Amino acid sequence: EAEALASETLSAAAAEAAETSRPEASAAETSLAAPPDADDAAATRLDVDAADADADADDDAPARPRDPAALEAEEALVSLFPEAPETMTKDAADAINDALDAKAFACRRVDVFPKGAIFRGSVRGANGTGAAALAACTASVKAAGLTRWTLFALEDPVAATDEEIDDRLREARDRAIGGDGAGAPDDPPNELMMAARRPTVLVAVDAAAKPTRVDGLRGLAARGAGLLSTGFSLAAFAAAAGAGNPKLYERLSEADPSALEAVAPVGVYLFAVLVAHEAAHFAAAASRGVAWSFPILLPSLTTGTLGAANELEDYVDDRAALFDVAFAGPLAGLVVSAFFLAVGGFLGVDEATAPCLPAGALQNSALASLLIAPSRGAALTLAPDAVVALHPLAVAGLGGLLANALALLPLGRTDGGRCALACYGRTLGAAACGLGTILVGFGGLFSGDDLLLLHLIFTFGLQRDVENPCRDEVTDAAGRRPVYAAALLVAGLCLAPSPLAQTASTAASSVLPGFPSL
């Protein structure tokens, strides 16, 4: 240690001696070495910054975007693929770009982000479609051995400028006048949709990416809690329907087993409506090759149930498949509910044991009034607070009718929200969901309809997230828009007051049975 210390001391002394013995630079040399003015100094700093930028460009990880458009694109990508691994690099994006089929998609720019890459360009070919470009590019990427990545054909996540929208409107009007034919196969059918349609882009994400879902222990707990809470709400709904009958209410308050047996079929029949709804979802999913999750049941004291929240376990191929699966559930639920209500109205009841509803519950639904009019038309002329004895099948039919009508409304990630996305695309579908939220909110507030408000609260609480993208989201769901429009008309008839009622309903709530008594 002493020798090492002595060696370091000698080395330091030698270095100091060499520094003091060095001749000073001349004034001329000093003036040449220093930058003559601030411009040269700034140029030097720019050179250093450029060198640093070149060094950063050599890094394999993509740089964080700085301009607003790139930031908007990255935020949209994160919202669409929140579970995607952050594995995309510039080299990987360049390899994918080189492998894209140039005959199907002409890429002009690539934006690289940690969660994926966006390839901006145009679909090629006289009859080129987004679906054809996606299929060709997917095949060419796999042929190049890049199986780690999955391609999606989506609308550009960056919103168009006002000038671009004006250009699209002008182009749509020219085509409508007959200037250059019908346009590309993927073009929307009217000017509004043409202006709202964003350019087609290809998006590449890690093949390990999956849709957002509640799985594992959390999923098991959520489904168990939903089943228990829905069982309770069905039992409470059935008991409240019995409580509307003064004779049955006294026996229910004493926990008479025979009274409980009299109202239990209400919950059973309503659960059958829920089973039909979910079975239709699963049947359609199996037919269309969609990975559909087990439902998370949603309780409701107002209608017994609000249906269920279903998740996508994998990305859907196209918008048509998404519509078919999402629409099948409410369609089956409405058909079964309407059958129960119409048939239940003709079944005889025992006044001492039959559940009762206020007449206003029937009068507050135009479709329910039409279905019940042949058998119980007198109920439509009663005061809203007058009680009407009904068979348990009819009570369950009315509850199911309202629950499935609510499921069709374009809100969030519900069946109706998915139908809107499938019919109108992501941009106009989001606008339809926003409009639906406003209308349902105003309808609930100004009409005193707590059923609409409760449904809106459930939607915001559990199903407000952005819907997972389809692999091909630019191809139109042909023929589905008129079907969904007709379904919305039916839903409106279910939720709107009846024009057949001779006595206007003044009930401040659409709660079906007599919950104040319960």
Side-chain angles (χ1 to χ4, degrees):
E1 291 177 356
E3 290 177 355
L5 180 60
S7 177
E8 291 176 1
T9 303
L10 291 175
S11 299
E16 183 178 358
E19 182 67 21
T20 55
S21 62
R22 187 177 66 85
E24 296 182 355
S26 63
E29 291 173 339
T30 301
S31 63
L32 289 174
D37 51 25
D39 292 339
D40 289 343
T44 304
R45 286 195 300 272
L46 288 175
D47 291 339
V48 173
D49 291 341
D52 292 341
D54 292 339
D56 292 340
D58 293 336
D59 191 0
D60 209 22
R64 290 286 180 178
R66 296 179 182 178
D67 61 287
L71 286 174
E72 182 181 355
E74 184 177 25
E75 290 174 359
L77 199 64
V78 171
S79 67
L80 291 173
F81 303 97
E83 302 296 329
E86 296 188 356
T87 54
M88 180 59 70
T89 63
K90 186 176 183 301
D91 289 344
D94 291 340
I96 296 172
N97 188 23
D98 293 338
L100 294 178
D101 188 344
K103 296 180 180 179
F105 185 81
C107 181
R108 293 188 295 270
R109 196 182 83 190
V110 181
D111 292 336
V112 186
F113 308 103
K115 283 188 176 293
I118 301 176
F119 301 87
R120 289 187 168 85
S122 58
V123 176
R124 305 190 69 176
N127 296 317
T129 62
L134 177 64
C137 291
T138 298
S140 62
V141 168
K142 288 184 177 180
L146 302 174
T147 56
R148 181 181 179 180
W149 311 104
T150 298
L151 292 181
F152 293 77
L154 308 176
E155 295 180 21
D156 194 330
V158 179
T161 63
D162 293 340
E163 292 78 9
E164 291 173 334
I165 293 177
D166 290 340
D167 291 342
R168 294 175 195 171
L169 274 173
R170 191 177 303 108
E171 181 182 358
R173 289 166 183 163
D174 292 342
R175 289 177 179 174
I177 294 173
D180 55 356
D186 276 345
D187 282 348
N190 58 63
E191 293 182 10
L192 174 62
M193 297 186 69
M194 185 71 182
R197 167 67 67 85
R198 300 180 182 180
T200 298
V201 299
L202 296 182
V203 176
V205 298
D206 197 304
K210 294 293 182 182
T212 54
R213 60 193 188 278
V214 181
D215 53 7
L217 292 178
R218 289 176 60 239
L220 186 62
R223 286 164 176 81
L227 181 61
L228 291 176
S229 59
T230 301
F232 170 79
S233 68
L234 289 173
F237 177 83
N245 186 337
K247 298 178 181 179
L248 193 58
Y249 171 73
E250 296 179 0
R251 296 165 55 195
L252 285 171
S253 62
E254 297 173 357
D256 186 347
S258 63
L260 297 176
E261 292 177 3
V263 299
V266 174
V268 174
Y269 292 141
L270 192 51
F271 187 73
V273 174
L274 183 58
V275 170
H277 180 120
E278 294 304 317
H281 276 316
F282 278 101
S287 172
R288 299 288 285 169
V290 175
W292 194 256
S293 74
F294 283 100
I296 301 176
L297 301 183
L298 303 177
S300 171
L301 294 177
T302 304
T303 58
T305 176
L306 274 181
N310 298 94
E311 299 170 316
L312 298 172
E313 296 185 345
D314 202 356
Y315 297 105
V316 183
D317 287 336
D318 52 42
R319 286 158 48 188
L322 179 64
F323 178 88
D324 293 345
V325 177
F327 184 71
L331 175 63
L334 283 173
V335 170
V336 173
S337 298
F339 175 78
F340 280 4
L341 181 57
V343 173
F346 287 100
L347 298 179
V349 295
D350 183 357
E351 296 291 341
T353 59
C356 292
L357 298 181
L362 296 172
Q363 297 167 1
N364 282 339
S365 173
L367 185 58
S369 298
L370 290 173
L371 293 172
I372 205 71
S375 59
R376 301 296 177 93
L380 303 179
T381 63
L382 298 176
D385 56 352
V387 294
V388 180
L390 293 172
H391 191 275
L393 194 65
V395 177
L398 180 57
L401 206 65
L402 297 181
N404 284 279
L406 291 172
L408 280 171
L409 300 180
L411 300 172
R413 201 184 281 189
T414 62
D415 292 334
R418 286 169 170 156
C419 288
L421 168 64
C423 288
Y424 304 109
R426 187 161 295 272
T427 303
L428 281 181
C433 289
L435 179 61
T437 301
I438 294 173
L439 293 178
V440 170
F442 274 100
L445 287 174
F446 291 102
S447 68
D449 193 337
D450 57 355
L451 179 61
L452 294 177
L453 290 178
L454 287 174
H455 182 63
L456 199 60
I457 292 172
F458 263 107
T459 301
F460 273 104
L462 298 175
Q463 297 171 296
R464 67 179 182 273
D465 295 333
V466 176
E467 182 55 70
N468 296 292
C470 303
R471 291 188 177 90
D472 172 19
E473 208 166 87
V474 298
T475 301
D476 190 30
R480 270 71 172 184
R481 288 193 202 98
V483 175
Y484 184 51
L488 285 178
L489 179 61
V490 173
L493 291 175
C494 291
L495 300 172
S498 170
L500 300 180
Q502 297 182 10
T503 303
S505 176
T506 57
S509 168
S510 63
V511 173
L512 301 185
F515 277 101
S517 300
L518 177 67

